[in-house]
Amino acid sequence: MLDINFIRQTLGKYYDQPDVDTLLSNFEIKEKLKLKKGEVDAYLSSKKHGIEITFSIESSLKERTQTTYPDGALVITNIRFYGVSTSDFDVYQGVLPSGIFFRNSKKELESTLGTSSWRNPILNSYRWKNSEYQLMAVLNDEEELEICSIQLLTA
């Protein structure tokens, strides 16, 4: 299993870069990334490892980032970790970012991360920002962490 800091540092890197290849290989993702016509995002995932990765076309990031990417590059903008088994995903078994854990209560999350900067009451999700990335937490009906994602600050 890759170190969470390595995983986090792949945010902002693009498909076919060596670190992205390492990330995909580690999670046994062999599918080739393809962007559907008219779409700006494409997804790769590993059911077995409970992870999903969002790639965004570089042109959709131009106004939101200082980074210059090759034309047509597909950039990692979001990585989701699943803490509950579903028909699409098994439970992610690795370490989560920022010292949090699946099943943390909202109170425990706020103790570790501080007050969230944004909340979506319909999805029962919260977002925290730091200098490197955004962290999104989706809570279940018991107010416990069920899905965690890290996102490029500009996305």
Side-chain angles (χ1 to χ4, degrees), residues 5-25:
N5 292 317
F6 179 88
I7 295 170
R8 182 188 48 73
Q9 290 170 2
T10 62
L11 286 171
K13 296 198 176 180
Y14 55 91
Y15 190 68
D16 281 337
Q17 283 189 295
D19 285 352
V20 174
D21 291 342
T22 299
L23 177 72
L24 298 177
S25 175

Side-chain angles (χ1 to χ4, degrees), residues 5-78:
N5 292 317
F6 179 88
I7 295 170
R8 182 188 48 73
Q9 290 170 2
T10 62
L11 286 171
K13 296 198 176 180
Y14 55 91
Y15 190 68
D16 281 337
Q17 283 189 295
D19 285 352
V20 174
D21 291 342
T22 299
L23 177 72
L24 298 177
S25 175
N26 181 77
F27 291 110
E28 302 176 64
I29 299 172
K30 295 178 174 78
E31 179 183 351
K32 295 295 180 197
L33 185 64
K34 293 181 183 170
L35 185 66
K36 293 179 183 175
K37 187 174 181 170
E39 298 286 329
V40 296
D41 294 326
Y43 307 90
L44 290 176
S45 61
S46 171
K47 174 182 173 43
K48 173 182 174 181
H49 293 285
I51 190 168
E52 183 174 37
I53 305 165
T54 303
F55 292 82
S56 300
I57 188 79
E58 52 74 34
S59 59
S60 72
L61 302 173
K62 283 184 179 175
E63 295 178 9
R64 300 183 284 162
T65 183
Q66 302 287 326
T67 305
T68 302
Y69 295 105
D71 287 345
L74 292 168
V75 180
I76 295 180
T77 54
N78 188 295

Side-chain angles (χ1 to χ4, degrees), residues 91-143:
V91 174
Y92 174 73
Q93 298 297 320
V95 174
L96 294 176
S98 300
I100 64 172
F101 301 91
F102 289 123
R103 306 309 253 175
N104 274 162
S105 67
K106 181 177 178 279
K107 186 175 182 177
E108 290 169 320
L109 292 171
E110 288 182 334
S111 175
T112 302
L113 303 170
T115 303
S116 66
S117 60
W118 176 88
R119 177 176 185 250
N120 180 328
I122 296 169
L123 298 176
N124 201 20
S125 61
Y126 298 82
R127 180 175 57 209
W128 289 265
K129 290 183 180 184
N130 64 32
S131 62
E132 299 175 21
Y133 59 91
Q134 298 180 107
L135 184 144
M136 182 80 75
V138 178
L139 308 183
N140 61 20
D141 292 340
E142 289 78 39
E143 295 287 311

